[in-house]
């Protein structure tokens, strides 16, 4: 059954709000903030001798890591007859851009002016939970890509600078990351190796699905690795924001298992319905008046998924992953997620019924397709 009151609250809010809200604003495609100012290759970063110097605590440089990665990986999607917006790495810079726009990269303790209007907006605070979590989806893939051979001119390892605070929570070289996070580095390196081995195929959707399996496997491992290292940052934000942060981290496993496509168009469409600001004391999804109907619904759905999984003792996620063992199962569950994000209510009983029908033998836990 659903957590007491959660289903009724969401349903009632969606019904009442739909009458007041005629339509969501039209979606406008755009690059992440300050994309054009971010470095697009290794030579565009600062220099120290023969080394590129990258400061991942500068929004410009962290976004530059993503832009450089995309510029060096577009060619592999072109082999499949796809264009630059089909690159599966778009999810990473677009997420960082959303975090920047919503103030989630600023110092949540307000003890410094890093990242807010009082100080340096380009600053990424090491005290931010989102900035900490994102580091393992920025610097780590970047170093793994370099080791895999993505960058043709990688003659001398770039210098990745540590933050002034919490420097022992992060790694800065491939050797250092591989020593402390060997499983994570291995999964990202494998993704880039599979990407570089891309060949023309008649079945492009199947080729993309395989790449997504490796990418999401690495993405989930990044979350696994980051959560214990970033947890202490959750002491700073208001409790509704902390709840949303934890809901988001838990949802990654549900979303990733469906091989949700992280191309430009898909992520842009999804992100339009994420919270447009930090949650404040008193905010309660789906009853936040300055959120759109869909933003409230997505926020409430993430909370519902985590609550239902906790209620089931974690068996909901196990059953969910079992249902992902076939392309058909993944397609159906992507549709299931879309209906949830549109405001449809499911009880735990409903979900177990749907997933059991898809899971078959119930003994398959999917992973990257070999």
């Amino acid at each position: 059954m659903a957590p007491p009151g959660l289903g009724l609250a969401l349903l009632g809010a969606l019904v009442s709000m739909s009458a007041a809200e005629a339509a969501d604003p039209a979606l406008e495609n755009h690059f992440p903030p300050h994309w054009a100012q971010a470095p697009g290759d290794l030579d565009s970063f600062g220099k120290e001798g023969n080394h590129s110097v990258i400061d991942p605590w500068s929004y410009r440089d962290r976004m530059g890591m993503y832009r450089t990665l995309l510029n060096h990986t577009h060619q592999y999607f072109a082999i499949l007859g796809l264009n630059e917006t089909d690159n599966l790495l778009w999810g990473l810079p677009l997420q960082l851009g959303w975090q920047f726009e919503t103030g989630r990269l600023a110092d949540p303790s307000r003890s410094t002016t890093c990242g807010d209007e009082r100080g340096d907006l380009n600053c990424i605070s090491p005290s931010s939970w989102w900035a900490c979590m994102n580091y393992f989806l920025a610097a780590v893939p970047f170093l793994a890509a370099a080791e895999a051979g993505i960058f043709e001119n990688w003659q001398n390892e770039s210098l990745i600078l540590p933050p002034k605070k919490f420097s022992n929570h992060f790694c800065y070289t491939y050797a250092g990351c591989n020593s402390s996070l060997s499983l994570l580095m291995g999964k990202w390196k494998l993704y880039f190796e599979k990407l570089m081995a891309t060949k023309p195929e008649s079945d492009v959707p199947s080729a993309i699905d395989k790449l997504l399996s490796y990418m999401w496997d690495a993405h989930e491992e990044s979350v696994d690795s980051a959560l214990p290292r970033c947890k202490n940052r959750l002491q700073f934000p208001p409790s509704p924001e902390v709840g949303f942060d934890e809901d988001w981290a838990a949802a990654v496993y549900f979303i990733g298992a469906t091989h949700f496509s992280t191309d430009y168009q898909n992520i842009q469409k999804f992100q339009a319905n994420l919270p447009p600001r930090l949650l404040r004391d008193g905010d309660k999804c789906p009853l936040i008046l300055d959120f759109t109907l869909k933003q409230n619904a997505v926020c409430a759905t993430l909370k519902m998924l985590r609550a239902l999984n906790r209620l089931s003792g974690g068996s909901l996620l196990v059953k969910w992953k079992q249902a992902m063992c076939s392309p058909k199962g993944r397609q159906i569950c992507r549709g299931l997620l879309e209906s949830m994000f549109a405001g449809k209510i499911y009880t735990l009983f409903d979900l177990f019924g749907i997933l059991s029908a898809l899971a078959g033998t119930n003994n398959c836990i999917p992973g990257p397709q070999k």
Side-chain angles (χ1 to χ4, degrees), residues 153-276:
N153 58 336
W154 185 268
Q155 298 174 348
N156 297 284
E157 203 170 77
S158 293
L159 297 176
I160 295 180
L161 302 180
K164 294 179 180 179
K165 189 177 181 181
F166 302 124
S167 61
N168 62 325
H169 292 186
F170 308 101
C171 56
Y172 308 98
T173 65
Y174 179 80
C177 292
N178 197 44
S179 174
S180 59
L181 299 165
S182 58
L183 182 59
L184 174 59
M185 294 302 289
K187 288 187 175 184
W188 275 112
K189 185 169 178 281
L190 180 61
Y191 167 73
F192 288 110
E193 289 171 344
K194 293 294 182 182
L195 180 61
M196 293 171 70
T198 300
K199 298 175 181 174
E201 292 192 26
S202 57
D203 189 356
V204 173
S206 177
I208 290 296
D209 188 65
K210 289 177 182 178
L211 287 173
L212 282 166
S213 71
Y214 286 103
M215 194 211 66
W216 275 111
D217 191 42
H219 190 122
E220 290 179 19
E221 188 62 33
S222 285
V223 174
D224 281 345
S225 300
L227 280 171
R229 291 169 171 81
C230 303
K231 185 176 181 180
N232 67 336
R233 278 84 167 168
L234 292 176
Q235 65 183 294
F236 300 120
S239 57
E241 176 65 21
V242 171
F244 173 75
D245 298 351
E246 294 176 331
D247 295 341
W248 175 254
V252 166
Y253 302 96
F254 287 92
I255 295 170
T258 70
H259 295 183
F260 181 83
S261 182
T262 48
D263 63 274
Y264 178 85
Q265 299 291 348
N266 212 35
I267 294 297
Q268 279 283 52
K269 181 180 178 181
F270 175 69
Q271 285 197 169
N273 300 319
L274 291 181

Side-chain angles (χ1 to χ4, degrees), residues 2-217:
L6 180 60
L8 290 176
L10 175 58
L11 180 61
L14 292 175
V15 170
S16 61
M17 291 176 67
S18 62
E21 184 180 82
D24 289 336
L27 302 181
E28 181 181 349
N29 292 335
H30 63 285
F31 289 115
H34 310 300
W35 179 256
Q37 289 75 46
D41 55 63
L42 295 174
D43 292 333
S44 298
F45 290 95
K47 288 289 184 181
E48 185 175 309
N50 292 327
H51 298 281
S52 296
V53 179
I54 301 172
D55 181 4
W57 307 101
S58 150
Y59 173 78
R60 172 191 176 275
D61 276 19
R62 193 178 291 199
M63 186 60 77
M65 297 170 84
Y66 287 140
R67 190 178 179 198
T68 301
L69 264 181
L70 263 73
N71 285 344
H72 282 80
T73 53
H74 287 324
Q75 59 182 307
Y76 303 109
F77 294 93
I79 290 172
L80 295 173
L82 303 174
N83 60 41
E84 292 186 356
T85 61
D86 295 312
N87 193 319
L88 299 180
L89 291 175
W90 268 115
L92 299 178
L94 287 169
Q95 262 289 290
L96 181 65
W98 168 76
Q99 292 165 17
F100 174 82
E101 287 183 309
T102 58
R104 288 179 163 86
L105 301 178
D107 183 354
S109 71
R110 305 284 287 180
S111 62
T112 72
T113 58
C114 179
D116 70 26
E117 66 281 353
R118 300 174 298 154
D120 182 5
L121 288 173
N122 186 56
C123 179
I124 292 180
S125 173
S127 296
S128 159
W129 182 86
W130 288 92
C132 177
M133 294 291 292
N134 177 264
Y135 186 91
F136 296 88
L137 288 162
V140 170
F142 187 86
L143 290 167
E147 185 69 15
I150 287 290
F151 307 127
E152 303 88 349
N153 58 336
W154 185 268
Q155 298 174 348
N156 297 284
E157 203 170 77
S158 293
L159 297 176
I160 295 180
L161 302 180
K164 294 179 180 179
K165 189 177 181 181
F166 302 124
S167 61
N168 62 325
H169 292 186
F170 308 101
C171 56
Y172 308 98
T173 65
Y174 179 80
C177 292
N178 197 44
S179 174
S180 59
L181 299 165
S182 58
L183 182 59
L184 174 59
M185 294 302 289
K187 288 187 175 184
W188 275 112
K189 185 169 178 281
L190 180 61
Y191 167 73
F192 288 110
E193 289 171 344
K194 293 294 182 182
L195 180 61
M196 293 171 70
T198 300
K199 298 175 181 174
E201 292 192 26
S202 57
D203 189 356
V204 173
S206 177
I208 290 296
D209 188 65
K210 289 177 182 178
L211 287 173
L212 282 166
S213 71
Y214 286 103
M215 194 211 66
W216 275 111
D217 191 42

